[in-house]
Amino acid sequence: MSNGIPLKKISFSGTLLLLAWPAIVENFLQSMVGFVDSLFISKLGLTEVATVGVTNAILQIYFAIFMSVSTAAAVFISRSIGEQDTEKTKVIISHALMLTIGIGFLFGFVSLFFAPDLLSLMGANAEVVERGSTYFRVIATPSIFMSLVFTIGSILRGTGDTKTPLRAGLWMNFIHIILDYILIFGLFFEGFGLTGAAIATVLARIIGVALLFRGMKRKNLLPPLSPRFWSIRPDLLYRMSRLGTPAMLERLFMRTGQILYFGMIIRMGTDIYAAHTLTGNFTLFSTIVGTGLGVATTTLIGQSIGSGKFEDVKRYGKIATGVTSTVMTVVLLIVWLYSFGAATWFTTSSEVIHLITTVLLIDLFAQPATGLVTSLTAILQAGGDTKFPMYVTWFGIWAIRTLGVYLLGVYLGWGLIGAWCAIAFDNYIRAGILYWRYRSFKWLKVI
């Protein structure tokens, strides 16, 4: 396995953690940059904050589609690495890049010509549409760079290389913060305000893509400019789309379900919604860890399947579920212990602080199930079974979580505590269903 991590040189859990930590750090840094970006923009005014909020809501749909391509690329590439088939790996990379570039151009076209319509569709008022159209066009028309960041990062991770995306992310995030400040507020010139924030984001992404391409070239992953590698193979594009589409729908089901139950929580009152939002900021730490471990799980399971080492597949499955659940629970336990003091950084309301710490405790009891959902989804997707997690997410978010938030939070009057009890119940139900599927081994599919 020339490009991956040697599976037998260190323990299975050690390999998983070694592969996961760069992805964890990368996700953490991206979250911090997002926080700094929001802080800068908040200095411009509430209309600018609202514009960015609506734009990000639209971009979440873009991200779901871009991530579906990157998920398919990671699964296909990790298997071909396991098979030690270099030519097949490069053909897959070329098609992942072609698919990514095509989708990037399509969404760029839509963003350029339909920006006001998309903002209006999301419920933005006339002032936000007027100011936000330029911002949205600048940040979303070059969608090709946005999509390439996702795909190239997944290509590298699929080979077992999580450090190159981390290094690229470090530079991209550092440059983003510097450019953000200069272009928003100005230095020796008048700043460009919200448009400056969009330009900074785009320039940082362009630099990130250049660094990721350099990483691919250094690892000899770029396919030569030859028809042998770049002639379109419709069957391969179809198989990648078939694998990636359920992953995309899974994320869209999650987002649309969140919109519904977020609306219920908003109607419970401003303080309650504020407590819910701040609790989400605290749980972000365990989510970042789980995402990084999920990336490592997909890579290692895919490589093991590709090399025909099905005993390793079973071992990695057991270890990934155990490690992910344990680490996410420990991280949230630490966060909960610190939350009693940290919550005072955000609010002086004793009622809101009590709600935050109480809801975090509920989520702490749910973390073992959340870890199982995270790891089992990664395992099934690596096995080529992206449809089952999609169905489970659809059922869990719409039939259990959203209904549960209404019954416990609204109908029975338990408020935010009832809403988070419903979220915990949903995670345990989904974990049970996914574990049943995992134990059946019907998720090992030919892709």
Side-chain angles (χ1 to χ4, degrees):
M1 194 175 304
S2 57
N3 290 312
I5 288 179
L7 304 182
K8 296 299 185 180
K9 288 187 178 180
I10 53 179
S11 68
F12 285 90
S13 56
T15 305
L16 180 69
L17 293 170
L18 184 66
L19 191 60
W21 77 260
I24 293 170
V25 174
E26 184 185 355
N27 289 332
F28 176 76
L29 289 172
Q30 286 177 353
S31 299
M32 292 303 100
V33 169
F35 174 79
V36 173
D37 194 44
S38 299
L39 184 64
F40 287 162
I41 290 169
S42 68
K43 305 299 182 184
L44 299 174
L46 292 178
T47 301
E48 285 77 4
V49 172
T51 298
V52 173
V54 174
T55 297
N56 285 340
I58 299 171
L59 291 180
Q60 288 298 326
I61 299 172
Y62 286 31
F63 292 164
I65 294 167
F66 299 155
M67 287 175 72
S68 69
V69 179
S70 66
T71 298
V75 173
F76 273 83
I77 288 166
S78 62
R79 285 205 186 184
S80 65
I81 290 292
E83 295 167 2
Q84 298 185 357
D85 190 335
T86 303
E87 181 168 334
K88 182 178 179 181
T89 300
K90 291 188 176 182
V91 169
I92 292 169
I93 289 172
S94 69
H95 282 66
L97 291 175
M98 284 190 284
L99 191 58
T100 298
I101 291 168
I103 291 174
F105 273 122
L106 174 63
F107 278 84
F109 177 85
V110 170
S111 303
L112 179 62
F113 291 101
F114 300 101
D117 304 285
L118 291 172
L119 292 169
S120 298
L121 191 64
M122 293 299 293
N125 60 36
E127 186 179 8
V128 170
V129 171
E130 183 183 353
R131 293 195 190 181
S133 294
T134 300
Y135 174 79
F136 185 79
R137 283 192 176 107
V138 172
I139 206 168
T141 298
S143 284
I144 183 172
F145 299 108
M146 202 186 309
S147 58
L148 283 171
V149 167
F150 279 105
T151 297
I152 301 174
S154 282
I155 288 170
L156 289 162
R157 294 185 194 100
T159 68
D161 177 13
T162 52
K163 291 183 180 179
T164 298
L166 170 60
R167 284 192 292 267
L170 283 169
W171 280 108
M172 185 167 64
N173 293 332
F174 174 74
I175 291 167
H176 186 184
I177 291 175
I178 300 299
L179 290 177
D180 223 15
Y181 184 86
I182 293 172
L183 294 176
I184 290 174
F185 303 112
L187 196 57
F188 301 111
F189 56 88
E190 187 177 350
F192 299 107
L194 193 59
T195 302
I199 295 171
T201 301
V202 172
L203 290 176
R205 282 181 182 144
I206 291 171
I207 292 168
V209 168
L211 292 171
L212 288 167
F213 264 119
R214 190 178 71 174
M216 286 181 65
K217 185 177 180 181
R218 189 170 60 245
K219 293 186 173 296
N220 194 30
L221 291 173
L222 279 176
L225 294 175
S226 163
R228 180 179 166 191
F229 296 98
W230 292 93
S231 294
I232 295 176
R233 303 185 186 184
D235 63 316
L236 180 56
L237 288 176
Y238 170 74
R239 287 188 290 128
M240 293 181 74
S241 301
R242 187 179 63 183
L243 187 70
T245 299
M248 173 194 71
L249 292 174
E250 181 200 358
R251 291 182 177 91
L252 291 178
F253 287 149
M254 176 72 78
R255 296 296 177 191
T256 51
Q258 283 177 338
I259 290 170
L260 282 179
Y261 71 79
F262 276 13
M264 297 181 203
I265 295 172
I266 288 172
R267 285 190 286 274
M268 293 178 188
T270 303
D271 286 353
I272 290 176
Y273 186 69
H276 173 76
T277 302
L278 291 172
T279 302
N281 291 338
F282 283 111
T283 62
L284 184 65
F285 292 97
S286 64
T287 301
I288 286 169
V289 172
T291 302
L293 288 166
V295 167
T297 299
T298 298
T299 300
L300 294 173
I301 293 288
Q303 289 185 4
S304 298
I305 293 172
S307 59
K309 297 176 181 177
F310 293 104
E311 286 303 313
D312 285 357
V313 172
K314 294 179 181 179
R315 289 174 188 169
Y316 272 121
K318 290 179 181 177
I319 288 167
T321 52
V323 168
T324 305
S325 292
T326 301
V327 173
M328 288 182 70
T329 302
V330 169
V331 168
L332 197 64
L333 173 61
I334 295 169
V335 169
W336 177 69
L337 291 173
Y338 277 97
S339 69
F340 292 89
T344 61
W345 302 344
F346 300 93
T347 179
T348 57
S349 169
S350 58
E351 183 180 348
V352 172
I353 292 171
H354 175 70
L355 265 179
I356 291 170
T357 54
T358 303
V359 168
L360 271 176
L361 182 60
I362 294 170
D363 198 45
L364 177 60
F365 283 109
Q367 277 307 288
T370 306
L372 280 174
V373 170
T374 301
S375 57
L376 291 170
T377 298
I379 290 168
L380 267 58
Q381 288 179 342
D385 187 5
T386 53
K387 287 185 179 179
F388 195 83
M390 176 193 71
Y391 292 134
V392 173
T393 297
W394 171 77
F395 172 74
I397 295 298
W398 287 76
I400 299 176
R401 184 175 298 196
T402 303
L403 182 61
V405 169
Y406 173 75
L407 290 175
L408 299 179
V410 179
Y411 184 75
L412 294 180
W414 293 5
L416 192 62
I417 290 173
W420 279 77
C421 284
I423 293 170
F425 186 60
D426 164 46
N427 280 327
Y428 272 102
I429 293 293
R430 282 196 287 148
I433 297 171
L434 289 169
Y435 187 71
W436 168 80
R437 179 68 169 184
Y438 165 72
R439 292 284 295 173
S440 73
F441 278 93
K442 292 179 179 177
W443 49 272
L444 286 169
K445 297 180 179 292
V446 176
I447 58 175

